[in-house]
Amino acid sequence: MLRKMGEAVARVARKVNETVESGSDTLGDPWSTVSANSDLAECKLVSFPIGIYKVLRNVTDQIHLITLANNELKSLTSKFMTTFCQLRGNFLHRLPNEVSTLQHLKAIDLSRNQFHDFPEQLTTLPALENINLEENEIVDVPVEKLAAMPALHLINLRFNPLNAEVRVIAPPLIKFDMLMSPEGARPPPP
């Protein structure tokens, strides 16, 4: 187990160094609004070890976006949530309460996780413009709280088993784009 974690930290260190050394700006993701991207996808992370924070210590001001697609993360610490916000393709099913301290967060990508409940902490973030919760297991959405969010422009709820009430109530109440799949639609295979 320790060896496996060490290998994951080494993979992350290599990817972070590649990003910083190349001055990488590999955006193109419509959900991102930042200038540097570090791709930590497929690093086989089960947790985010303290060793990775040590690796990132000197470069966190240069890396504003970290993609964690296709890892095996099941939970995150509050330290992680206040440092990174781009989470895709993991096994997350809830966010720590500390996410509500991210008052300047503009976009969050929580697609392809295992959320059954809408992460309501997001409704308290005044600067949040884009929420991507595509391909989760969300049935109910706090439409009234979302409608009250001042900066929200887009929420992607495609491929969630949304209940009929959300589908009927949401459109007349919201002033932003809400992407939903037809009822019963399935995501394309990976």
Side-chain angles (χ1 to χ4, degrees), residues 135-183:
E135 289 186 47
N136 277 281
E137 298 298 322
I138 297 170
V139 174
D140 197 19
V141 177
V143 175
E144 295 83 11
K145 289 181 180 181
L146 290 170
M149 292 177 69
L152 192 60
H153 294 299
L154 175 66
I155 182 167
N156 182 351
L157 292 166
R158 288 185 287 208
F159 305 115
N160 277 282
L162 298 171
N163 68 33
E165 188 176 323
V166 169
R167 294 174 180 281
V168 172
I169 291 176
L173 288 179
I174 60 174
K175 60 187 180 294
F176 51 85
D177 292 326
M178 181 182 276
L179 306 178
M180 296 182 279
S181 297
E183 197 167 346

Side-chain angles (χ1 to χ4, degrees), residues 81-151:
M81 286 308 300
T82 56
T83 308
F84 311 116
C85 66
Q86 198 67 345
L87 310 172
R88 281 185 271 179
N90 288 286
F91 301 98
L92 298 176
H93 61 278
R94 65 183 166 84
L95 295 176
N97 290 332
E98 289 80 5
V99 77
S100 60
T101 65
L102 303 173
Q103 297 297 301
H104 302 289
L105 184 66
K106 291 186 180 247
I108 191 163
D109 186 336
L110 298 168
S111 60
R112 293 174 286 288
N113 277 286
Q114 294 179 359
F115 285 92
H116 291 275
D117 298 315
F118 186 92
E120 289 202 35
Q121 302 99 314
L122 298 179
T123 64
T124 65
L125 302 177
L128 197 54
E129 297 174 358
N130 296 316
I131 301 171
N132 187 355
L133 285 161
E134 184 174 12
E135 289 186 47
N136 277 281
E137 298 298 322
I138 297 170
V139 174
D140 197 19
V141 177
V143 175
E144 295 83 11
K145 289 181 180 181
L146 290 170
M149 292 177 69

Side-chain angles (χ1 to χ4, degrees), residues 12 16 22-23 40 43 45 60 71 73 80 86 99 102 108 123 149-150 155 157 166 172 189:
V12 169
V16 168
S22 69
L40 302 183
C43 284
L45 291 173
T60 53
N71 280 289
L73 295 169
F80 181 91
Q86 198 67 345
V99 77
L102 303 173
I108 191 163
T123 64
M149 292 177 69
I155 182 167
L157 292 166
V166 169

Side-chain angles (χ1 to χ4, degrees), residues 10-57:
R11 274 190 292 280
V12 169
R14 271 193 305 276
K15 286 188 173 194
V16 168
N17 286 334
E18 287 169 10
T19 299
V20 173
E21 288 172 9
S22 69
S24 179
D25 188 321
T26 56
L27 297 177
D29 182 348
W31 295 97
S32 61
T33 58
V34 295
S35 61
N37 182 10
S38 183
D39 183 0
L40 302 183
E42 300 180 21
C43 284
K44 298 182 181 176
L45 291 173
V46 175
S47 65
F48 211 79
I50 196 72
I52 295 174
Y53 289 110
K54 290 177 182 175
V55 167
L56 296 173
R57 177 178 52 227

